[in-house]
Amino acid sequence: MLLTRTKAFKTFAVPAWDNNPINVQMLGICSALAVTVQLKTSFVMALAMTFVLATSSLIISIMRRVIPGNIRIIAELAVIASLVVLTDEFLRAYFYDISKLLSVFVGLIITNCIILGRAEGFAMSNPPHLAFIDGLGNGAGYASVLLSVGFLRELFGSGKVFGFSVIPESFYAAGYEDMGFMLLAPAAFIIIGLMAWLQKYLILRKDQ
Amino acid sequence: MSDMMKTIVFAVVMCVVCGLLLTAAATGLQDIQERNVENDRRKNILKTVDLISPEKQYSPQEIEQIYKDNIVQYGVTETGVIVDPAAIPKERVMPIYLYEKNGKIQDYILPIESQGLWGKIYGYMALEDDGSTVAGFTIYQHSETPGLGGEIEKRWFQDNFAGKKILDRDGQLVSIKIAKGEAEKLPEPKQPHYVDGISGATLTGQYLTEGLKKTLSEYEPVSVAFRKNRLRCRIQTEEPWCEEDAADTN
């Protein structure tokens, strides 16, 4: 059996591309606008999000037969919230500068609809290994968008990639200027809009 | 067991497990987090007097070294008496930081604690030894809306403060105010006391303006002492602008 035919691979690939949480489902836009000014913050945010998504899906899937139906949303949120607080505490202890830049947005992962959506829609009705892979897939989908947006905004907004200057001085001497607009949230909105359009187009063309 | 009982037991167990986990993480990491906060506070004090560059990365040890070499902390009472911060105070003592170079005080740094729109705003303001010119300004903790009031943590906003005067031409304390829009558009006599405001964050600006005024009024006795020093030196040397070196040579 080919790797690409297995259920596990599909569980990973579908949310990562065909059903991308940001570009296709239009979820989690708020944090994608806020933390993508630099690649560094995008990267840490994507890691934090993937960690919470995969781990919460795994834990909820393991507990899915024990969780009473009438308080399941609360139970799911308790798991998610605990993981988010853990992540936040960890970042504040070991990556203080980045956690300051991310400010409230790590805490706001709790309210990110992608996570509760996956918990409720997938983890509650699938075995743990698939739920974990589904979390990773959604995390990868989220990360790919965040990193692309972060890359474009940092490159055109401040001429840097991961904090290193990549646009040579001679360009600036010749009259090149950084796009100040790229540093503002509306720039991310426009980039995500264009990416959503491109991705929808590619997916539709493949289907035909 | 009835469904009701099951639900309650599950909820209780869940709460206990999550609670224990979070308590363990919070207490376990507290030391490191507090060290980070302290380090960040020092970094901000150093930033107000330009001892570290915002472009570069510094290790906590470097920060501690630069801080120890240049900054001394004192306490000051409401009447302006300098006291040892370690002594047990009889009255309210406010912290003040002095930036000393070659045995002379270059700048004095005041902690800013202001009301904000959503919570307290904390920062530092460094004033030059003339008791009027702002040397630098930073904000290291706030809970304003990111992108709006949160812009107060950005360098463009904080860099605005350098060179502004807290005294008007008559020697009255006017503090530094946050303008609505650009400070350049104000009438010329007002410009030295205003910094560019943040669009969409008028209230944050108003709160910070009030907070700065309050802090500067509280520390006014200290500023007066610096101004007197400057005046004495000016009389002795008969120079229009009194330089420290000129005063020494006489």
Side-chain angles (χ1 to χ4, degrees):
Chain A
M1 197 162 68
L2 274 167
L3 174 72
T4 49
R5 291 279 174 81
T6 59
K7 190 158 188 231
F9 182 82
K10 272 191 194 142
T11 314
F12 179 83
V14 168
W17 176 255
D18 290 323
N19 203 9
N20 187 292
I22 299 183
N23 280 351
V24 180
Q25 297 189 49
M26 293 292 155
L27 298 175
I29 302 271
C30 169
S31 55
L33 299 185
V35 301
T36 49
V37 178
Q38 296 170 24
L39 207 45
K40 194 167 75 176
T41 47
S42 316
F43 184 70
V44 175
M45 183 70 182
L47 275 186
M49 178 78 178
T50 310
F51 166 75
V52 175
L53 249 171
T55 327
S56 69
S57 285
L58 178 71
I59 296 174
I60 290 165
S61 173
I62 292 172
M63 300 196 307
R64 72 187 187 282
R65 296 193 210 284
V66 208
I67 298 176
N70 45 359
I71 57 161
R72 65 174 199 287
I73 301 267
I74 300 173
E76 286 160 19
L77 268 180
V79 173
I80 295 167
S82 307
L83 286 168
V84 168
V85 176
L86 279 182
T87 314
D88 198 24
E89 294 277 338
F90 175 81
L91 286 178
R92 268 194 287 158
Y94 296 104
F95 300 94
Y96 187 74
D97 290 338
I98 293 178
S99 91
K100 258 188 98 174
L101 284 175
L102 287 171
S103 66
V104 293
F105 291 101
V106 174
L108 283 181
I109 294 180
I110 299 173
T111 62
N112 197 315
C113 8
I114 300 173
I115 300 190
L116 192 60
R118 290 333 284 172
E120 181 66 4
F122 196 91
M124 281 301 278
S125 47
N126 282 284
H129 70 283
L130 282 183
F132 183 72
I133 292 170
D134 175 74
L136 285 183
N138 275 283
Y142 179 84
S144 65
V145 174
L146 240 70
L147 292 178
S148 330
V149 179
F151 173 74
L152 291 172
R153 284 180 77 186
E154 194 176 348
L155 180 66
F156 292 114
S158 32
K160 294 174 180 172
V161 172
F162 267 118
F164 296 106
S165 298
V166 287
I167 302 214
E169 283 299 321
S170 54
F171 274 49
Y172 290 105
Y176 174 84
E177 270 185 41
D178 289 328
M179 279 167 76
F181 175 65
M182 279 292 166
L183 302 175
L184 306 174
F189 205 66
I190 290 171
I191 295 176
I192 291 176
L194 291 171
M195 280 172 52
W197 170 52
L198 180 71
Q199 190 159 1
K200 275 255 168 70
Y201 169 76
L202 291 174
I203 292 168
L204 282 177
R205 208 179 55 167
K206 196 176 72 178
D207 288 348
Q208 274 166 10
Chain B
M1 208 162 26
S2 71
D3 274 358
M4 184 69 177
M5 269 313 282
K6 241 190 199 165
T7 307
I8 292 173
V9 170
F10 180 86
V12 170
V13 172
M14 182 105 202
C15 287
V16 171
V17 171
C18 288
L20 281 177
L21 206 67
L22 294 185
T23 315
T27 41
L29 295 173
Q30 198 179 16
D31 278 356
I32 307 178
Q33 288 172 352
E34 276 170 4
R35 232 177 296 148
N36 286 337
V37 171
E38 176 65 17
N39 185 46
D40 190 59
R41 216 176 52 78
R42 289 183 171 179
K43 220 191 300 190
N44 273 280
I45 293 179
L46 295 176
K47 237 192 272 172
T48 58
V49 288
D50 264 341
L51 277 172
I52 56 171
S53 135
E55 304 286 339
K56 274 199 341 212
Q57 292 281 335
Y58 295 87
S59 72
Q61 290 79 20
E62 283 174 308
I63 295 288
E64 200 179 335
Q65 194 56 46
I66 304 175
Y67 184 87
K68 272 191 182 148
D69 288 347
N70 296 287
I71 307 288
V72 202
Q73 185 185 345
Y74 287 101
V76 55
T77 65
E78 274 166 51
T79 46
V81 182
I82 300 279
V83 291
D84 187 355
I88 298 153
K90 288 197 192 94
E91 44 190 330
R92 200 167 77 100
V93 173
M94 306 177 289
I96 184 168
Y97 305 88
L98 302 180
Y99 167 31
E100 288 181 350
K101 200 172 154 191
N102 306 329
K104 273 189 227 105
I105 299 169
Q106 302 282 319
D107 301 318
Y108 59 109
I109 304 153
L110 317 175
I112 305 285
E113 189 186 322
S114 165
Q115 211 60 247
L117 181 58
W118 302 117
K120 286 265 173 95
I121 300 173
Y122 295 94
Y124 291 100
M125 180 182 269
L127 291 162
E128 286 176 16
D129 65 347
D130 63 357
S132 171
T133 313
V134 179
F137 177 75
T138 58
I139 285 187
Y140 65 96
Q141 199 186 326
H142 68 85
S143 28
E144 304 306 290
T145 322
L148 297 172
E151 291 289 296
I152 53 172
E153 69 181 26
K154 295 281 163 67
R155 261 175 65 204
W156 72 262
F157 178 73
Q158 298 177 4
D159 285 351
N160 254 319
F161 282 79
K164 300 282 174 187
K165 308 272 182 195
I166 64 168
L167 288 187
D168 66 6
R169 285 182 186 166
D170 305 327
Q172 294 298 312
L173 178 71
V174 286
S175 177
I176 306 288
K177 299 188 174 99
I178 287 99
K180 249 183 145 179
E182 284 170 31
E184 273 181 21
K185 294 195 176 138
L186 292 166
E188 214 255 311
K190 279 188 166 182
Q191 283 186 18
H193 315 300
Y194 278 84
V195 295
D196 293 352
I198 300 160
S199 57
T202 313
L203 282 175
T204 302
Q206 281 172 7
Y207 281 116
L208 192 56
T209 301
E210 276 170 38
L212 290 178
K213 174 128 202 184
K214 195 172 140 260
T215 308
L216 288 171
S217 320
E218 278 174 359
Y219 282 93
E220 183 64 1
V222 182
S223 302
V224 168
F226 275 99
R227 282 173 219 144
K228 273 187 189 151
N229 239 346
R230 182 48 83 91
L231 192 67
R232 189 177 307 135
C233 139
R234 200 182 296 176
I235 292 164
Q236 281 167 1
T237 57
E238 290 172 6
E239 292 281 329
W241 288 104
C242 184
E243 298 296 331
E244 291 267 356
D245 297 335
D248 280 357
T249 46
N250 288 354

